[in-house]
Amino acid sequence: MTSFRLLAFDEISRREIIEPQLTDKKVSEYFGIDVFDERQMRQYLPREVRRAVVDAIDDGRRIDRKVADQVALGMKTWAMERGATHYTHWFQPLNDSTAEKHDAFFEPVSGGGSFETFRGELLVQQEPDASAFPNGGLRNTFEARGYSAWDPSSPAFIVDKTLCIPSIFVAYTGEALDFKTPLLKSLAALDKAAVEVGQLFDREITKVVATLGWEQEYFLVDEALFRARPDLAQCGRTLMGHTAAKDQQLDDHYWGAIPHRVMNFMKEFEEQAYRLGIPLKTRHNEVAPSQFECAPMFEEANIAVDHNTLLMTVMRKTASRHKLRVLFHEKPYMGVNGSGKHCNWSLATNTGVNLLAPGKTPKTNIQFLTFFVCTLKAAAEHGSLMMASIATETNSHRLGGHEAPPSILSVFTGTTMDAALDFIERRVSHKKMSPDEKTEIKLDIGKIPEILLDNTDRNRTSPFAFTGNRFEFRATGSSSNCALPLIVINTAVAEALYDFKAEVDALIEKDVKKDEAILQVIRRYIAASKNIRFEGNGYSCEWAEEAARRGLRSVNNVPQAFREYLRPESVALFERFGVLTRTELTARYEIKNETFIKKAQIESRIIGDLATNHIIPTAIAYQNILIENIRGIKEVFPDEFESLAGEEMKTIHEMVEHVQFIRENTHNMIEARKKWNAVESLSERAMGYETEVRPYITAIREHIDKLELIVDDRLWPLPKYRELMSIA
Ligand code: ADP
Ligand code: MG
C-alpha cells in the first residue's frame, strides 16, 4: 500500500505552477474598490444621511431608522452595481474565526416575480441563530437568541459577491458575545480619558483614537503534504517530527529571496487586500524556513482589527488556490521559531499628533511624557492581565519559552528614555520649584527627541517595547484576534490617564501651578512604574530572579493566566470603564478554559491515534524486515552471526523500548483524560489537562521522533520536517 506521504509527493511532482490572477492597474487605482467607504458614501448617500453616519462614528450617536433605511438603500445599490447578490452581518464570535450567514437581496413575490431588497432594519440588527457560538453559559440553548448589530465605524465591504457588514454580537440580555463590543467600549473609554488629559496641553484636542499596526507572521506548507499530516490538518501544528538536519541555524531564510510560488501567492492576496482597503506595506521571509510576515500601515484600532481578521480569511482562501495552506498556529514546528502578531499601539489626536512621539518643543515633549508614563503605569498595574490577554492553548508553546512572550511583563524603553525618566525622577521635587529650575528641566526634556531619533536600540526579548513613537506588544500570538490585548491595554491606559488627570487637578486645587503639577505627577508615575522597566535580556534566568525580587507577577501556564481575568483588580478595572461586566468576564473565563481543554483534548486524541495507527504499525513493519534479515544472516552465515547481526538486534531492542513507552503512555494519557473529564469545574479541568495530560503529548512525541530516525525512510508514513518546511 502506498502511504499518503508518497502520494503527496506524487501529486506535487505532477503539479504545474499556478500563476497569480492579477490586474495590471496601479494599486492606487483600485485600492478600496470593494469597500463602502467615504468616497462611496458621497456618491450613494444624501448629504444629511452621510452626516448622520459620520456623527454616529465620531460621537457614538444612534442612527435612527429613517437614516438606516437610506444607508441600506445606498449600500444595496452600490453593492448590486458591483455584482453582489447577498448580504451578511460579519462578526467576530469568541472563537478563532469570523462568522457570517448570507441572505439574498432577492425576494420572491407571491403570485410570481421577484425583486431585490435590503431594508434599514436588516442593516442595523439581525438575529442569527447563534446557539452554536461560544457563550460561556450566558445563553441557554433553548433561549439561544443573540443579535448582531451594525458597527458604522467600520465600513462594509464585498467579498465573493456578498456585502459584509461589520457588526457586534451580543446576547439578548445585552452581554457581549464577541471581541468587537468590548473593544469599541475600551476605545471610547480611552478616547474620553485621553481627551481630558490632552486638553491640559491643547484645547483643540477633542478626539483621541488608538492606532494599531499589526505584523502578521505565518507559515506556508504545501497542501498535499498538509493533508498527509493529520496532526497539522486537525490541530494546526505538528505533534511529532524530528528536527530537520538543517533548519534555521544558518539564518539564511530571514529576509531571503522569496520563492516564486510564495511570491505568486503573496501578490494575489495582496491585491485582494488592497481591493478591501487593507493598506499592506511590507512582506518578507521570516526566521524559520517557510515562515513569512506581512504588515500594513497602521490604522485606527477598530478598523485595523477588522482588517487583520479579514486578511487572515483572504490569505486562507488565496493559499488554497495556490495549493498551499497558511498556518497561523503559533508553533507549527518544534525546534524552530514560532509565529507572533506584534501589535504596534499608539494614540493619535484629531489635531494630527501622535501622542507617543516626542514633540519638537518642551511643551509637546511634556505632553508626550505624560502619555508615555501613563502607559508605563498601566503596564505596571495590569501587566499580568496583559499577559493573560495573549494566553491561549496555541500560544502556550511560545509562552515562557525563549521566544517573544516571556512569562513576566516588562517594558523596554531604550537607553535614552530610561535615562530621561531617571533624570526627571531625580530632578523634579515635591517641593515648589524655582522658575529657573523649571526652565532647566523643561529644556532638558526638550532635548529628548533629538537623541531619540538616532537611537535605534531595539530589544527583541521585551514583551512590551517602546520603539520611538509607539509601543510594540510582541507577545500576541499569530492566530489571536488583536482585540484581546487591545481591550486590556486601552482600558488600563484609560485608567492611568483618568487617575493622572485627577492627581493633577488635586494639586492645582492646592495652588500648584499647572505645569509644575504635571511634572510632579509625571515623576510619581515614573516612580510607580519603575518595577516593570527592564532593559536587559527578558529570556534570561537572572531576569526571572530579579523580577521575583521586584515582586512582579509571573504567568507560567495558560490556565493560570486565565485566572488573572477574575482577580478583583481586573474586574474593578473593566467594570469601572464599562468595558466588561463581572458576568461577561466570568463567561469569557469559562470559554477560555473550555477552549483550552478542547484543544488539548484534540491534540491528545490525535497523537494517541497516530501513535497507535501509524507509528507503532510502521515500527513493527520495520522490525519484521530486520528480523527477516537477521534470520537470513543466520541461515547464510551461521558462524559469523554474532558479529553480523548484533547491531540489528540492538536496533530492534531500541525500537521495542520506544514502542513500549509509546503504548504505555498513550494508555496512561487516556486514563488521565478520563480522570479530568469527570471534573465538573472547567478551570480545574483545564489545569488538570495542563499538568497531567499535556506532558504526555510531549513525552510520547520524543519517542516517536526517535523512531523516525531509525525506521526506513520509505516506510515512514508522515511527511518529515525537512519536507514540510521546504517550499519550492
Ligand atoms: P519591525 O519589524 O521593525 O517591528 P515593521 O515595519 O515590520 O517593523 O512594523 C512596524 C509596524 O508598526 C507597522 O505595522 C506600522 O504600521 C506600525 N506603526 C508605525 N507607527 C505606528 C503608530 N503610530 N501607531 C501604531 N502602529 C504604528
Ligand atoms: Mg515588530
Side-chain angles (χ1 to χ4, degrees):
M1 212 199 80
T2 331
S3 76
F4 283 115
R5 175 168 170 237
L6 298 180
L7 285 175
F9 287 126
D10 189 43
E11 188 182 324
I12 293 169
S13 69
R14 282 184 287 108
R15 194 180 287 151
E16 281 166 29
I17 286 189
I18 298 149
E19 290 303 333
Q21 293 173 346
L22 299 172
T23 161
D24 40 19
K25 286 194 186 129
K26 279 192 295 221
V27 176
S28 55
E29 288 175 57
Y30 65 88
F31 184 79
I33 196 167
D34 291 334
V35 184
F36 194 68
D37 56 14
E38 262 179 63
R39 252 178 329 175
Q40 309 303 339
M41 282 204 253
R42 263 193 300 271
Q43 204 180 327
Y44 288 87
L45 300 182
R47 182 197 290 263
E48 62 288 357
V49 173
R50 219 167 57 230
R51 184 145 310 144
V53 175
V54 171
D55 283 351
I57 297 170
D58 286 347
D59 314 327
R61 243 177 269 164
R62 270 191 165 279
I63 289 181
D64 71 38
R65 193 44 59 91
K66 246 181 39 223
V67 170
D69 274 335
Q70 281 174 295
V71 178
L73 182 65
M75 265 190 198
K76 185 194 83 175
T77 312
W78 168 77
M80 286 184 54
E81 276 173 23
R82 301 208 53 76
T85 55
H86 288 66
Y87 61 89
T88 180
H89 269 193
W90 178 84
F91 56 94
Q92 297 158 33
L94 296 169
N95 55 27
D96 292 341
S97 54
T98 52
E100 45 196 88
K101 173 183 155 259
H102 302 182
D103 285 299
F105 288 127
F106 153 87
E107 209 151 287
V109 180
S110 64
S114 64
F115 68 113
E116 267 88 15
T117 179
F118 181 49
R119 294 183 309 278
E121 60 193 274
L122 292 170
L123 164 69
V124 173
Q125 190 172 317
Q126 292 183 15
E127 277 183 46
D129 172 17
S131 46
F133 292 114
N135 65 72
L138 281 178
R139 284 179 294 114
N140 296 320
T141 21
F142 64 84
E143 233 268 88
R145 293 198 304 178
Y147 63 91
S148 54
W150 174 37
D151 165 20
S153 60
S154 181
F157 54 89
I158 298 174
V159 172
D160 288 342
K161 298 194 170 182
T162 301
L163 172 67
C164 300
I165 299 150
S167 303
I168 58 164
F169 179 46
V170 285
Y172 231 74
T173 40
E175 280 93 7
L177 294 171
D178 68 344
F179 294 111
K180 196 189 251 289
T181 308
L183 175 65
L184 288 173
K185 289 178 172 172
S186 73
L187 287 166
L190 181 60
D191 175 19
K192 208 154 161 257
V195 165
E196 281 200 17
V197 173
Q199 290 204 350
L200 288 172
F201 305 94
D202 179 0
R203 288 262 148 215
E204 302 279 296
I205 296 178
T206 53
K207 173 125 191 118
V208 174
V209 297
T211 50
L212 167 68
W214 40 264
E215 299 162 56
Q216 178 72 57
E217 294 179 335
Y218 60 95
F219 280 84
L220 287 174
V221 60
D222 189 281
E223 190 181 70
L225 298 174
F226 173 88
R227 274 193 271 107
R229 291 283 312 220
D231 48 355
L232 255 192
Q234 312 219 29
C235 314
R237 74 163 178 128
T238 54
L239 298 174
M240 53 193 66
H242 198 279
T243 326
K246 172 184 181 297
D247 48 52
Q248 64 187 42
Q249 60 274 67
L250 296 179
D251 287 331
D252 51 355
H253 191 253
Y254 191 57
W255 290 19
I258 299 170
H260 183 62
R261 187 171 168 210
V262 174
M263 202 60 205
N264 285 348
F265 156 73
M266 286 180 173
K267 284 182 188 157
E268 200 170 296
F269 88 68
E270 283 170 355
E271 185 173 307
Q272 293 300 315
Y274 293 141
R275 295 179 64 98
L276 289 163
I278 305 172
L280 288 179
K281 281 289 277 184
T282 61
R283 58 174 176 222
H284 60 80
N285 285 5
E286 258 303 324
V287 173
S290 72
Q291 191 189 24
F292 307 90
E293 177 184 305
C294 63
M297 172 77 185
F298 67 92
E299 298 176 277
E300 189 276 307
N302 176 39
I303 293 181
V305 170
D306 283 356
H307 279 169
N308 179 252
T309 43
L310 177 56
L311 183 73
M312 288 167 80
T313 312
V314 169
M315 285 170 74
R316 282 195 191 99
K317 282 188 192 163
T318 314
S320 110
R321 221 185 66 75
H322 288 264
K323 305 280 182 228
L324 291 166
R325 290 296 175 123
V326 194
L327 306 177
F328 288 116
H329 193 292
E330 284 75 4
K331 196 80 179 177
Y333 307 112
M334 206 181 78
V336 298
N337 274 26
S339 299
K341 176 147 56 197
H342 300 173
C343 289
N344 294 273
W345 176 93
S346 192
L347 295 167
T349 65
N350 59 308
T351 55
V353 171
N354 174 354
L355 292 168
L356 289 171
K360 289 198 175 64
T361 63
K363 186 180 142 196
T364 49
N365 249 337
I366 294 175
Q367 173 183 306
F368 152 69
L369 272 172
T370 298
F371 286 90
F372 184 84
V373 298
C374 283
T375 310
L376 287 187
K377 176 89 174 331
E381 298 278 331
H382 299 289
S384 50
L385 186 60
M386 280 172 71
M387 293 309 285
S389 76
I390 55 94
T392 60
E393 195 272 339
T394 53
N395 204 18
S396 69
H397 304 281
R398 291 168 76 235
L399 186 72
H402 279 237
E403 253 182 82
S407 46
I408 305 149
L409 188 103
S410 62
V411 183
F412 171 82
T413 61
T415 32
T416 313
M417 283 310 298
D418 199 47
L421 296 174
D422 286 345
F423 167 80
I424 296 166
E425 197 185 352
R426 258 194 333 269
R427 287 298 304 275
V428 178
S429 68
H430 302 292
K431 286 181 244 111
K432 201 167 162 46
M433 288 183 264
S434 72
D436 276 356
E437 243 179 331
K438 252 195 270 181
T439 313
E440 205 187 314
I441 290 172
K442 283 186 191 168
L443 278 177
D444 274 313
I445 290 176
K447 286 185 196 136
I448 296 173
E450 291 157 36
I451 328 170
L452 219 98
L453 274 183
D454 48 61
N455 177 357
T456 45
D457 76 8
R458 282 292 195 95
N459 183 325
R460 306 220 167 252
T461 67
S462 173
F464 198 50
F466 180 63
T467 50
N469 61 0
R470 60 186 187 267
F471 279 88
E472 182 171 0
F473 194 32
R474 305 169 50 84
T476 317
S478 48
S479 70
S480 275
N481 188 312
C482 328
L484 272 166
L486 285 200
I487 291 165
V488 174
I489 296 174
N490 292 342
T491 316
V493 173
E495 179 184 68
L497 288 167
Y498 263 118
D499 294 348
F500 186 95
K501 175 73 172 27
E503 289 184 44
V504 168
D505 286 348
L507 286 173
I508 292 175
E509 226 155 77
K510 284 191 213 146
D511 282 340
V512 180
K513 284 251 167 54
K514 185 170 98 179
D515 56 348
E516 197 169 332
I518 292 172
L519 282 174
Q520 282 194 18
V521 183
I522 287 180
R523 184 191 171 275
R524 281 187 209 163
Y525 277 36
I526 292 173
S529 56
K530 213 168 175 176
N531 259 349
I532 48 146
R533 267 160 60 202
F534 180 63
E535 303 290 302
N537 179 359
Y539 303 154
S540 65
C541 305
E542 294 80 43
W543 168 231
E545 288 161 19
E546 164 72 14
R549 265 196 301 280
R550 294 188 191 181
L552 295 179
R553 293 172 73 78
S554 135
V555 174
N556 292 310
N557 71 47
V558 173
Q560 183 207 343
F562 294 157
R563 294 182 184 167
E564 295 294 317
Y565 275 97
L566 292 186
R567 284 178 71 210
E569 295 88 332
S570 311
V571 177
L573 171 74
F574 287 125
E575 290 208 319
R576 176 174 172 195
F577 293 98
V579 172
L580 287 164
T581 62
R582 179 187 293 278
T583 316
E584 287 170 320
L585 283 165
T586 311
R588 265 152 221 259
Y589 176 67
E590 298 280 292
I591 293 169
K592 277 172 187 292
N593 279 304
E594 197 174 350
T595 309
F596 178 87
I597 295 163
K598 282 184 183 156
K599 288 193 175 174
Q601 187 177 45
I602 292 170
E603 288 199 344
S604 157
R605 283 178 182 164
I606 288 190
I607 197 168
D609 290 354
L610 283 178
T612 313
N613 305 327
H614 288 61
I615 307 302
I616 294 178
T618 306
I620 291 174
Y622 186 53
Q623 274 175 37
N624 285 336
I625 292 176
L626 293 182
I627 288 170
E628 241 349 274
N629 185 37
I630 294 170
R631 212 195 306 274
I633 293 177
K634 196 165 188 181
E635 217 175 283
V636 183
F637 306 101
D639 301 336
E640 292 163 86
F641 173 68
E642 284 292 321
S643 66
L644 289 182
E647 282 303 315
E648 311 230 323
M649 292 203 286
K650 244 198 258 166
T651 306
I652 292 176
H653 278 291
E654 233 179 275
M655 289 179 72
V656 168
E657 270 169 38
H658 290 311
V659 167
Q660 269 168 359
F661 182 95
I662 294 169
R663 254 202 199 111
E664 247 173 66
N665 284 278
T666 301
H667 171 79
N668 295 345
M669 175 172 70
I670 293 170
E671 291 305 309
R673 282 211 309 263
K674 278 190 200 153
K675 170 180 157 193
W676 287 104
N677 287 346
V679 171
E680 190 74 26
S681 148
L682 286 177
S683 65
E684 276 172 42
R685 199 190 305 164
M687 196 55 100
Y689 262 83
E690 168 69 24
T691 53
E692 289 184 25
V693 177
R694 291 176 101 213
Y696 281 115
I697 300 177
T698 319
I700 293 170
R701 173 202 184 120
E702 249 176 62
H703 289 263
I704 294 179
D705 291 355
K706 293 262 167 56
L707 282 174
E708 186 188 313
L709 288 186
I710 300 174
V711 172
D712 181 353
D713 183 68
R714 280 167 307 177
L715 292 181
W716 197 253
L718 304 171
K720 296 183 173 179
Y721 265 26
R722 60 167 185 270
E723 296 157 353
L724 293 167
M725 280 190 260
S726 81
I727 296 191

